[in-house]
PDB file of all heavy atoms in Angstrom:
ATOM      1  N   THR D   1       3.885  11.960   3.694  1.00 75.00           N
ATOM      2  CA  THR D   1       4.006  10.767   4.539  1.00 75.00           C
ATOM      3  C   THR D   1       2.645  10.201   4.865  1.00 75.00           C
ATOM      4  O   THR D   1       2.452   8.967   4.732  1.00 75.00           O
ATOM      5  CB  THR D   1       4.718  11.146   5.827  1.00 75.00           C
ATOM      6  OG1 THR D   1       6.029  11.661   5.586  1.00 75.00           O
ATOM      7  CG2 THR D   1       4.889   9.868   6.721  1.00 75.00           C
ATOM      8  N   THR D   2       1.713  11.105   5.141  1.00 80.00           N
ATOM      9  CA  THR D   2       0.321  10.635   5.421  1.00 80.00           C
ATOM     10  C   THR D   2      -0.264   9.969   4.110  1.00 80.00           C
ATOM     11  O   THR D   2      -0.878   8.927   4.206  1.00 80.00           O
ATOM     12  CB  THR D   2      -0.501  11.865   5.765  1.00 80.00           C
ATOM     13  OG1 THR D   2       0.055  12.400   6.980  1.00 80.00           O
ATOM     14  CG2 THR D   2      -2.003  11.427   6.081  1.00 80.00           C
ATOM     15  N   LEU D   3      -0.146  10.590   3.048  1.00 79.00           N
ATOM     16  CA  LEU D   3      -0.621  10.068   1.812  1.00 79.00           C
ATOM     17  C   LEU D   3       0.025   8.691   1.495  1.00 79.00           C
ATOM     18  O   LEU D   3      -0.700   7.765   1.035  1.00 79.00           O
ATOM     19  CB  LEU D   3      -0.337  11.004   0.638  1.00 79.00           C
ATOM     20  CG  LEU D   3      -1.199  12.247   0.557  1.00 79.00           C
ATOM     21  CD1 LEU D   3      -0.556  13.276  -0.456  1.00 79.00           C
ATOM     22  CD2 LEU D   3      -2.618  11.877   0.063  1.00 79.00           C
ATOM     23  N   ALA D   4       1.301   8.545   1.752  1.00 77.00           N
ATOM     24  CA  ALA D   4       2.024   7.339   1.459  1.00 77.00           C
ATOM     25  C   ALA D   4       1.472   6.173   2.298  1.00 77.00           C
ATOM     26  O   ALA D   4       1.270   5.047   1.855  1.00 77.00           O
ATOM     27  CB  ALA D   4       3.489   7.504   1.723  1.00 77.00           C
ATOM     28  N   ILE D   5       1.204   6.485   3.579  1.00 83.00           N
ATOM     29  CA  ILE D   5       0.736   5.430   4.551  1.00 83.00           C
ATOM     30  C   ILE D   5      -0.691   4.979   4.070  1.00 83.00           C
ATOM     31  O   ILE D   5      -1.002   3.785   4.020  1.00 83.00           O
ATOM     32  CB  ILE D   5       0.668   5.959   5.956  1.00 83.00           C
ATOM     33  CG1 ILE D   5       2.096   6.218   6.467  1.00 83.00           C
ATOM     34  CG2 ILE D   5      -0.094   5.049   6.821  1.00 83.00           C
ATOM     35  CD1 ILE D   5       2.135   6.935   7.798  1.00 83.00           C
ATOM     36  N   ILE D   6      -1.516   5.923   3.728  1.00 86.00           N
ATOM     37  CA  ILE D   6      -2.905   5.594   3.270  1.00 86.00           C
ATOM     38  C   ILE D   6      -2.872   4.711   2.036  1.00 86.00           C
ATOM     39  O   ILE D   6      -3.571   3.692   1.908  1.00 86.00           O
ATOM     40  CB  ILE D   6      -3.730   6.862   3.045  1.00 86.00           C
ATOM     41  CG1 ILE D   6      -3.954   7.623   4.377  1.00 86.00           C
ATOM     42  CG2 ILE D   6      -5.083   6.543   2.412  1.00 86.00           C
ATOM     43  CD1 ILE D   6      -4.577   8.958   4.218  1.00 86.00           C
ATOM     44  N   ASN D   7      -2.163   5.173   1.034  1.00 82.00           N
ATOM     45  CA  ASN D   7      -2.095   4.434  -0.257  1.00 82.00           C
ATOM     46  C   ASN D   7      -1.475   3.066  -0.063  1.00 82.00           C
ATOM     47  O   ASN D   7      -1.956   2.086  -0.658  1.00 82.00           O
ATOM     48  CB  ASN D   7      -1.258   5.219  -1.289  1.00 82.00           C
ATOM     49  CG  ASN D   7      -1.957   6.457  -1.728  1.00 82.00           C
ATOM     50  OD1 ASN D   7      -3.209   6.494  -1.825  1.00 82.00           O
ATOM     51  ND2 ASN D   7      -1.223   7.483  -2.067  1.00 82.00           N
ATOM     52  N   THR D   8      -0.546   2.905   0.789  1.00 83.00           N
ATOM     53  CA  THR D   8       0.100   1.609   1.087  1.00 83.00           C
ATOM     54  C   THR D   8      -0.875   0.673   1.739  1.00 83.00           C
ATOM     55  O   THR D   8      -1.014  -0.534   1.345  1.00 83.00           O
ATOM     56  CB  THR D   8       1.351   1.780   1.861  1.00 83.00           C
ATOM     57  OG1 THR D   8       2.296   2.594   1.159  1.00 83.00           O
ATOM     58  CG2 THR D   8       2.036   0.378   2.113  1.00 83.00           C
ATOM     59  N   LEU D   9      -1.580   1.156   2.734  1.00 87.00           N
ATOM     60  CA  LEU D   9      -2.525   0.316   3.484  1.00 87.00           C
ATOM     61  C   LEU D   9      -3.673  -0.100   2.533  1.00 87.00           C
ATOM     62  O   LEU D   9      -4.126  -1.296   2.628  1.00 87.00           O
ATOM     63  CB  LEU D   9      -3.128   1.117   4.661  1.00 87.00           C
ATOM     64  CG  LEU D   9      -2.197   1.247   5.873  1.00 87.00           C
ATOM     65  CD1 LEU D   9      -2.857   2.150   6.925  1.00 87.00           C
ATOM     66  CD2 LEU D   9      -1.803  -0.088   6.474  1.00 87.00           C
ATOM     67  N   SER D  10      -4.192   0.810   1.708  1.00 88.00           N
ATOM     68  CA  SER D  10      -5.288   0.359   0.798  1.00 88.00           C
ATOM     69  C   SER D  10      -4.787  -0.696  -0.158  1.00 88.00           C
ATOM     70  O   SER D  10      -5.546  -1.570  -0.487  1.00 88.00           O
ATOM     71  CB  SER D  10      -5.749   1.654   0.053  1.00 88.00           C
ATOM     72  OG  SER D  10      -4.743   2.155  -0.773  1.00 88.00           O
ATOM     73  N   LEU D  11      -3.519  -0.562  -0.628  1.00 84.00           N
ATOM     74  CA  LEU D  11      -2.992  -1.575  -1.551  1.00 84.00           C
ATOM     75  C   LEU D  11      -2.824  -2.924  -0.788  1.00 84.00           C
ATOM     76  O   LEU D  11      -3.167  -3.999  -1.412  1.00 84.00           O
ATOM     77  CB  LEU D  11      -1.684  -1.082  -2.139  1.00 84.00           C
ATOM     78  CG  LEU D  11      -1.051  -2.046  -3.119  1.00 84.00           C
ATOM     79  CD1 LEU D  11      -1.918  -2.302  -4.308  1.00 84.00           C
ATOM     80  CD2 LEU D  11       0.296  -1.423  -3.559  1.00 84.00           C
ATOM     81  N   ILE D  12      -2.385  -2.931   0.411  1.00 87.00           N
ATOM     82  CA  ILE D  12      -2.185  -4.148   1.172  1.00 87.00           C
ATOM     83  C   ILE D  12      -3.489  -4.863   1.335  1.00 87.00           C
ATOM     84  O   ILE D  12      -3.660  -6.061   1.107  1.00 87.00           O
ATOM     85  CB  ILE D  12      -1.521  -3.830   2.559  1.00 87.00           C
ATOM     86  CG1 ILE D  12      -0.041  -3.432   2.360  1.00 87.00           C
ATOM     87  CG2 ILE D  12      -1.616  -5.047   3.455  1.00 87.00           C
ATOM     88  CD1 ILE D  12       0.563  -2.967   3.647  1.00 87.00           C
ATOM     89  N   ILE D  13      -4.511  -4.092   1.799  1.00 89.00           N
ATOM     90  CA  ILE D  13      -5.866  -4.733   2.050  1.00 89.00           C
ATOM     91  C   ILE D  13      -6.399  -5.274   0.728  1.00 89.00           C
ATOM     92  O   ILE D  13      -6.927  -6.376   0.699  1.00 89.00           O
ATOM     93  CB  ILE D  13      -6.777  -3.715   2.726  1.00 89.00           C
ATOM     94  CG1 ILE D  13      -6.248  -3.301   4.081  1.00 89.00           C
ATOM     95  CG2 ILE D  13      -8.231  -4.253   2.828  1.00 89.00           C
ATOM     96  CD1 ILE D  13      -7.023  -2.178   4.730  1.00 89.00           C
ATOM     97  N   GLY D  14      -6.405  -4.451  -0.337  1.00 88.00           N
ATOM     98  CA  GLY D  14      -6.926  -4.904  -1.584  1.00 88.00           C
ATOM     99  C   GLY D  14      -6.191  -6.163  -2.140  1.00 88.00           C
ATOM    100  O   GLY D  14      -6.798  -7.086  -2.634  1.00 88.00           O
ATOM    101  N   THR D  15      -4.901  -6.198  -1.937  1.00 86.00           N
ATOM    102  CA  THR D  15      -4.041  -7.333  -2.431  1.00 86.00           C
ATOM    103  C   THR D  15      -4.401  -8.560  -1.592  1.00 86.00           C
ATOM    104  O   THR D  15      -4.554  -9.661  -2.171  1.00 86.00           O
ATOM    105  CB  THR D  15      -2.601  -7.025  -2.261  1.00 86.00           C
ATOM    106  OG1 THR D  15      -2.251  -5.837  -3.122  1.00 86.00           O
ATOM    107  CG2 THR D  15      -1.739  -8.236  -2.698  1.00 86.00           C
ATOM    108  N   LEU D  16      -4.531  -8.500  -0.288  1.00 90.00           N
ATOM    109  CA  LEU D  16      -4.812  -9.661   0.495  1.00 90.00           C
ATOM    110  C   LEU D  16      -6.205 -10.206   0.184  1.00 90.00           C
ATOM    111  O   LEU D  16      -6.352 -11.407   0.110  1.00 90.00           O
ATOM    112  CB  LEU D  16      -4.770  -9.258   2.041  1.00 90.00           C
ATOM    113  CG  LEU D  16      -3.340  -8.936   2.559  1.00 90.00           C
ATOM    114  CD1 LEU D  16      -3.464  -8.486   3.982  1.00 90.00           C
ATOM    115  CD2 LEU D  16      -2.468 -10.144   2.451  1.00 90.00           C
ATOM    116  N   ILE D  17      -7.167  -9.353  -0.034  1.00 91.00           N
ATOM    117  CA  ILE D  17      -8.487  -9.780  -0.391  1.00 91.00           C
ATOM    118  C   ILE D  17      -8.463 -10.462  -1.779  1.00 91.00           C
ATOM    119  O   ILE D  17      -9.082 -11.592  -1.951  1.00 91.00           O
ATOM    120  CB  ILE D  17      -9.467  -8.614  -0.434  1.00 91.00           C
ATOM    121  CG1 ILE D  17      -9.728  -8.143   0.982  1.00 91.00           C
ATOM    122  CG2 ILE D  17     -10.775  -9.028  -1.111  1.00 91.00           C
ATOM    123  CD1 ILE D  17     -10.535  -6.877   1.020  1.00 91.00           C
ATOM    124  N   ALA D  18      -7.723  -9.968  -2.748  1.00 90.00           N
ATOM    125  CA  ALA D  18      -7.619 -10.570  -4.016  1.00 90.00           C
ATOM    126  C   ALA D  18      -6.960 -11.902  -3.988  1.00 90.00           C
ATOM    127  O   ALA D  18      -7.428 -12.981  -4.604  1.00 90.00           O
ATOM    128  CB  ALA D  18      -6.840  -9.665  -5.027  1.00 90.00           C
ATOM    129  N   ILE D  19      -5.869 -12.070  -3.251  1.00 91.00           N
ATOM    130  CA  ILE D  19      -5.163 -13.321  -3.114  1.00 91.00           C
ATOM    131  C   ILE D  19      -6.069 -14.361  -2.454  1.00 91.00           C
ATOM    132  O   ILE D  19      -6.176 -15.566  -2.855  1.00 91.00           O
ATOM    133  CB  ILE D  19      -3.776 -13.204  -2.356  1.00 91.00           C
ATOM    134  CG1 ILE D  19      -2.912 -12.364  -3.187  1.00 91.00           C
ATOM    135  CG2 ILE D  19      -3.262 -14.546  -2.003  1.00 91.00           C
ATOM    136  CD1 ILE D  19      -1.635 -11.960  -2.457  1.00 91.00           C
ATOM    137  N   GLY D  20      -6.755 -13.952  -1.346  1.00 91.00           N
ATOM    138  CA  GLY D  20      -7.709 -14.859  -0.670  1.00 91.00           C
ATOM    139  C   GLY D  20      -8.823 -15.295  -1.635  1.00 91.00           C
ATOM    140  O   GLY D  20      -9.171 -16.500  -1.585  1.00 91.00           O
ATOM    141  N   GLY D  21      -9.373 -14.411  -2.377  1.00 92.00           N
ATOM    142  CA  GLY D  21     -10.444 -14.786  -3.336  1.00 92.00           C
ATOM    143  C   GLY D  21      -9.963 -15.673  -4.389  1.00 92.00           C
ATOM    144  O   GLY D  21     -10.654 -16.587  -4.773  1.00 92.00           O
ATOM    145  N   ALA D  22      -8.789 -15.367  -4.941  1.00 90.00           N
ATOM    146  CA  ALA D  22      -8.193 -16.257  -5.979  1.00 90.00           C
ATOM    147  C   ALA D  22      -7.964 -17.735  -5.440  1.00 90.00           C
ATOM    148  O   ALA D  22      -8.297 -18.690  -6.112  1.00 90.00           O
ATOM    149  CB  ALA D  22      -6.925 -15.728  -6.545  1.00 90.00           C
ATOM    150  N   LYS D  23      -7.391 -17.806  -4.216  1.00 90.00           N
ATOM    151  CA  LYS D  23      -7.156 -19.195  -3.648  1.00 90.00           C
ATOM    152  C   LYS D  23      -8.454 -19.873  -3.357  1.00 90.00           C
ATOM    153  O   LYS D  23      -8.493 -21.110  -3.365  1.00 90.00           O
ATOM    154  CB  LYS D  23      -6.322 -19.007  -2.399  1.00 90.00           C
ATOM    155  CG  LYS D  23      -4.857 -18.530  -2.642  1.00 90.00           C
ATOM    156  CD  LYS D  23      -4.036 -18.514  -1.431  1.00 90.00           C
ATOM    157  CE  LYS D  23      -3.702 -19.932  -1.041  1.00 90.00           C
ATOM    158  NZ  LYS D  23      -2.749 -19.958   0.125  1.00 90.00           N
ATOM    159  N   ALA D  24      -9.504 -19.099  -3.047  1.00 91.00           N
ATOM    160  CA  ALA D  24     -10.839 -19.680  -2.792  1.00 91.00           C
ATOM    161  C   ALA D  24     -11.543 -20.117  -3.980  1.00 91.00           C
ATOM    162  O   ALA D  24     -12.601 -20.733  -3.914  1.00 91.00           O
ATOM    163  CB  ALA D  24     -11.643 -18.750  -1.943  1.00 91.00           C
TER     164      ALA D  24
END
């Protein structure tokens, strides 16, 4: 459960940064 939360959060943050950078 702990591993799942960490991996999901890292993916969310990385995805948001990528989408923001692409739109910029």
